[in-house]
Amino acid sequence: MKKLLLILSAYAVISFLAIVLLTVFLINPPELLAEDLSAYKFQSGLHNYLVLLPAILLSGFLMACSVQWQHKTSNSKERFSQGMFIRYRNCMVIGLFVVLVLFLNKEVFLFNLENSLEVKRKAPSELSEAIHTARYFINEQQYHLAVQYAQKAVIVSPGSKEAAAVLKESSDLLEIEINSEHSADEIFHRVIETQKPVHTRDAENSPYELVQKAQDAMNRKEWFEAHYWAELAVESCDEKNTNREAAIILANDSWNKLQHSEAYENEDERNYYFKKKEGYVALNSGDNLKAYYIYKNLLDAKNVKPTPDVKRFFELAKENVESEYFFFDETEHMNRLANRHDIYFSLTEDDGTKNVIFIKNSMDIKKNGGLVRYLEGFNLVKYRQDGTFMYSVKVPFAKVMAFPSADIGGKKWKNVPYIILQSVDRNTEGLVCRAEYSFIEDDVSDISEYQNPVSEEEQARISRINSMILPMNFDDFAAISEASAGPAQMPLLALMSFLSKATQYGFSVETFYQCVVSRLMYPLFILIVLLFLAAMGWNYRIEDKTSTFRFKWMFFLPLCTCVFFGIFELAEYVSGILNYVIVGLFGSASVVMAAVCYIIMLFCASVLFVSRKE
């Protein structure tokens, strides 16, 4: 066994050196960063080696068997001899090691190496885009964003002087902005809050504390704050709470105070007060978008310094707006940051209707301690239970947040996707992008004769839908995105966990089962091939007992390896067809039945080997 391992290891090492060196000297690499060139050449050589590794190990194993069994074969003059069982044991030990190496190679090494090469190929464009975007944000005086992109540029190319210079420039400008007294009022609403939402924090106070806050505001003659705290106190009190009556009195008194204008030093202060009142009325009536723009204009006003209550109500209005809309600028860098592409799936609802969904690009952003997902090119087509078209909706961009849900449609999920279909401009009122609904199928040739059974009243109701909740687990989206690229691109564990959900999201479960069967049976497939090769090595072992192993024999192995590469690809193709047949016949039990079939083939290969004789 030692000689077998030695020959196999020697050929693997020599092949590695030859393939890597040939690739390094002959490859014509694409445009790369200077610091990535050497690593790219080496990794390309390593990638070529790993692609050929099955053929290298199999051909090396065949030659090693032929040499190993040149001597001491007298104990195998009969079939099923003790000597052949000892050789079988040694083959199985080495075979299991080869199986482990090839399985890890296929599932881990090649996958990670291909990703690394792709990162290096994209690095020049990513560096250029990151630097360009950082300079853009410097010109726009959005230094916190400029720093983020400059940091990304430095991560992509740590040795880039230009990236380092942009990072230093943006960091210096951000530090000046933070230390500036003028900036304190301007940038507070641009910084992402890591604390709880304002309304949630405020509502966590006890009814007594809320009443005290309202009373303190009344004493300071801050009527807006007094009414806000008093209303929160009323909401938090039940009918029996002793603080309820005091809260109602404070709410009424503060509201009455709001209705009477006071003496103002100038016209600007008077207009400021009435605008603030208009915004507060809009906020309390549920017109959050109007309230948001009113308070934002008050914050940006140069002639009057913003009061603390305006800042608070702006944050409240913004929180409410962000539950109904998202801002245009949240998706302006989708083309740079999108990490999932061409996603498609379907969902069947409890009433039998089906939603078919396609998403061009998706971008995940961590925000406020959670995950926010932005979608580009969101399209949904809804079909009735009988398969007829109901309506379609499309929107250039959408925002998805995790919505806590214990039970929807009889199914329990921790979180479900809440999709916001309308967006607005952060600064300019009136710019709104809403979903476009259609009640006519795209392939209808004669629109004049087309009639959708959906009533006009129902069409009007559907057209007003600006958000939706999908009946699915929010965390399944990542798996669906990977599944859209094909089961072969999914990590094995993710693929196996997705099997039970494939039908739920409209995927062909047979395709996924076939991929699972092929990948799980790969170790057994390799072991079967190795035993057949071992039998071939015995049949074609070196007969001349006086001949010694010669190093020059290894030069014939590359030709053998090339032949084995083609044979191995053909064997994998035949194995794939067998797996399709097993999946077609046994469905969800295909993994078990495939294991039985491959174990039977392994047994046959074992019998074939141990039945060899001298």
Side-chain angles (χ1 to χ4, degrees):
M1 188 168 76
K2 290 182 179 178
K3 185 185 288 187
L4 198 156
L5 275 174
L6 180 63
I7 296 172
L8 187 61
S9 301
Y11 182 56
V13 171
I14 292 172
S15 299
F16 170 77
L17 294 174
I19 292 172
V20 170
L21 288 175
L22 282 172
T23 304
V24 168
F25 287 109
L26 298 179
I27 189 175
N28 184 22
E31 181 184 353
L32 301 167
L33 298 178
E35 60 263 36
D36 287 342
L37 182 58
S38 298
Y40 183 86
K41 287 184 175 182
F42 174 77
Q43 289 183 359
S44 296
L46 181 58
H47 177 264
N48 293 337
Y49 174 73
L50 294 181
V51 169
L52 291 170
L53 186 60
I56 291 170
L57 293 182
L58 293 178
S59 56
F61 181 79
L62 174 61
M63 186 192 76
C65 288
S66 300
V67 174
Q68 171 74 28
W69 297 325
Q70 178 186 11
H71 302 285
K72 299 179 181 179
T73 59
S74 57
N75 60 354
S76 303
K77 294 187 179 295
E78 301 292 334
R79 297 186 187 277
F80 304 105
S81 63
Q82 183 67 25
M84 290 308 296
F85 275 101
I86 293 174
R87 295 182 185 92
Y88 175 76
R89 180 196 63 192
N90 294 338
C91 285
M92 288 297 289
V93 171
I94 295 174
L96 289 174
F97 172 74
V98 172
V99 164
L100 176 64
V101 170
L102 293 183
F103 183 74
L104 292 176
N105 175 59
K106 186 173 184 178
E107 294 294 336
V108 180
F109 303 148
L110 269 174
F111 180 79
N112 292 333
L113 192 57
E114 286 168 356
N115 287 342
S116 177
L117 288 170
E118 185 65 19
V119 167
K120 286 178 172 57
R121 283 191 286 266
K122 291 181 177 179
S125 60
E126 288 187 352
L127 175 64
S128 175
E129 288 179 357
I131 292 175
H132 174 77
T133 306
R135 292 196 184 281
Y136 167 79
F137 282 127
I138 289 175
N139 294 334
E140 293 293 315
Q141 297 183 354
Q142 298 185 48
Y143 305 124
H144 58 296
L145 290 175
V147 168
Q148 291 180 23
Y149 282 94
Q151 288 173 339
K152 179 183 177 181
V154 170
I155 291 172
V156 171
S157 178
S160 171
K161 294 182 179 179
E162 185 179 7
V166 172
L167 178 59
K168 185 179 186 307
E169 180 184 359
S170 57
S171 299
D172 291 345
L173 290 169
L174 179 62
E175 185 176 356
I176 293 172
E177 182 184 50
I178 291 174
N179 294 332
S180 170
E181 292 183 1
H182 177 68
S183 68
D185 291 332
E186 289 188 347
I187 69 170
F188 82 94
H189 57 277
R190 300 206 311 256
V191 178
I192 296 176
E193 293 285 351
T194 57
Q195 301 175 343
K196 294 180 180 179
V198 176
H199 185 272
T200 303
R201 294 202 313 270
D202 293 345
E204 286 178 347
N205 291 284
S206 66
Y208 175 77
E209 290 172 330
L210 292 170
V211 169
Q212 288 300 310
K213 287 178 180 291
Q215 186 61 61
D216 291 344
M218 286 288 287
N219 295 338
R220 298 192 305 269
K221 296 184 179 182
E222 295 175 355
W223 317 126
F224 292 100
E225 287 239 8
H227 185 265
Y228 170 71
W229 292 116
E231 282 292 308
L232 275 182
V234 173
E235 291 175 9
S236 64
C237 293
D238 55 30
E239 296 292 338
K240 298 179 181 179
N241 196 301
T242 55
N243 296 291
R244 181 177 175 81
E245 185 176 351
I248 292 174
I249 293 172
L250 284 170
N252 291 334
D253 288 349
S254 57
W255 185 256
N256 290 332
K257 293 288 187 181
L258 287 173
Q259 306 309 310
H260 300 89
S261 59
E262 301 178 357
Y264 305 100
E265 293 184 4
N266 53 56
E267 189 66 18
D268 288 337
E269 285 194 2
R270 181 179 183 279
N271 292 336
Y272 187 88
Y273 178 85
F274 279 101
K275 269 294 180 185
K276 183 164 66 172
K277 178 181 175 182
E278 183 184 356
Y280 189 74
V281 172
L283 186 63
N284 276 272
S285 64
D287 193 349
N288 299 306
L289 196 58
K290 180 179 179 180
Y292 167 82
Y293 286 116
I294 289 174
Y295 286 125
K296 188 172 192 320
N297 290 333
L298 291 177
L299 283 173
D300 294 339
K302 303 297 183 184
N303 49 358
V304 179
K305 185 178 180 180
T307 55
D309 56 351
V310 168
K311 296 179 182 180
R312 173 179 294 278
F313 295 139
F314 170 76
E315 288 298 325
L316 286 168
K318 183 182 177 184
E319 287 174 6
N320 293 337
V321 165
E322 288 179 337
S323 67
E324 304 173 32
Y325 305 84
F326 62 97
F327 297 111
F328 294 156
D329 56 17
E330 293 180 54
T331 59
E332 64 182 348
H333 302 295
M334 172 72 80
N335 60 331
R336 294 186 176 96
L337 302 179
N339 52 1
R340 307 185 198 280
H341 313 279
D342 298 330
I343 304 156
Y344 58 89
F345 61 99
S346 66
L347 287 169
T348 301
E349 301 193 22
D350 291 337
D351 59 1
T353 59
K354 178 179 283 189
N355 299 316
V356 178
I357 297 167
F358 174 77
I359 300 163
K360 183 180 179 182
N361 293 312
S362 169
M363 173 179 69
D364 294 343
I365 299 291
K366 287 186 177 180
K367 193 173 182 181
N368 295 336
L371 186 68
V372 177
R373 182 169 291 124
Y374 295 95
L375 311 177
E376 179 185 4
F378 176 81
N379 292 267
L380 181 147
V381 182
K382 194 174 190 70
Y383 295 94
R384 297 181 184 83
Q385 190 172 4
D386 60 4
T388 57
F389 174 82
M390 191 172 178
Y391 66 85
S392 65
V393 55
K394 61 181 179 180
V395 65
F397 295 97
K399 181 178 181 178
V400 187
M401 296 183 292
F403 182 81
S405 173
D407 190 346
I408 290 183
K411 298 179 181 179
K412 293 185 178 180
W413 291 291
K414 182 180 179 181
N415 294 299
V416 294
Y418 173 66
I419 304 180
I420 302 175
L421 300 174
Q422 54 184 357
S423 52
V424 295
D425 188 81
R426 191 180 294 273
N427 302 307
T428 307
E429 186 174 4
L431 297 179
V432 183
C433 177
R434 291 190 172 90
E436 179 183 338
Y437 286 86
S438 175
F439 298 91
I440 300 175
E441 290 187 83
D442 292 338
D443 57 354
V444 173
S445 57
D446 190 352
I447 298 178
S448 62
E449 296 182 1
Y450 180 81
Q451 289 186 348
N452 192 315
V454 179
S455 65
E456 292 185 2
E457 182 180 349
E458 183 69 4
Q459 290 186 25
R461 184 194 67 80
I462 292 172
S463 298
R464 290 193 296 269
I465 296 176
N466 292 312
S467 62
M468 60 178 65
I469 293 177
L470 296 181
M472 60 176 285
N473 194 330
F474 181 86
D475 295 332
D476 285 348
F477 188 85
I480 291 171
S481 303
E482 292 175 340
S484 297
Q489 305 302 317
M490 299 178 70
L492 183 57
L493 292 178
L495 175 61
M496 293 176 65
S497 65
F498 189 73
L499 277 177
S500 59
K501 306 171 184 177
T503 303
Q504 175 186 344
Y505 296 117
F507 293 96
S508 170
V509 71
E510 291 79 12
T511 302
F512 284 80
Y513 266 113
Q514 190 275 336
C515 191
V516 168
V517 168
S518 295
R519 290 166 71 172
L520 286 180
M521 295 304 111
Y522 185 75
L524 285 175
F525 168 73
I526 293 294
L527 204 54
I528 292 167
V529 172
L530 285 171
L531 286 176
F532 275 111
L533 291 176
M536 186 183 299
W538 174 269
N539 291 340
Y540 298 98
R541 67 190 182 279
I542 299 172
E543 296 288 353
D544 185 358
K545 305 296 183 183
T546 62
S547 177
T548 57
F549 175 76
R550 310 209 174 169
F551 185 78
K552 65 180 181 180
W553 292 355
M554 298 195 75
F555 289 99
F556 294 101
L557 273 174
L559 177 61
C560 185
T561 298
C562 294
V563 173
F564 264 77
F565 181 77
I567 294 174
F568 186 74
E569 290 291 312
L570 179 62
E572 275 200 297
Y573 176 75
V574 173
S575 174
I577 294 176
L578 173 63
N579 295 334
Y580 267 119
V581 173
I582 293 173
V583 170
L585 291 175
F586 301 104
S588 59
S590 57
V591 175
V592 175
M593 295 309 299
V596 171
C597 291
Y598 277 83
I599 289 172
I600 292 172
M601 287 190 287
L602 179 62
F603 176 77
C604 293
S606 302
V607 171
L608 175 68
F609 177 75
V610 296
S611 65
R612 302 298 90 193
K613 66 176 183 176
E614 187 178 18

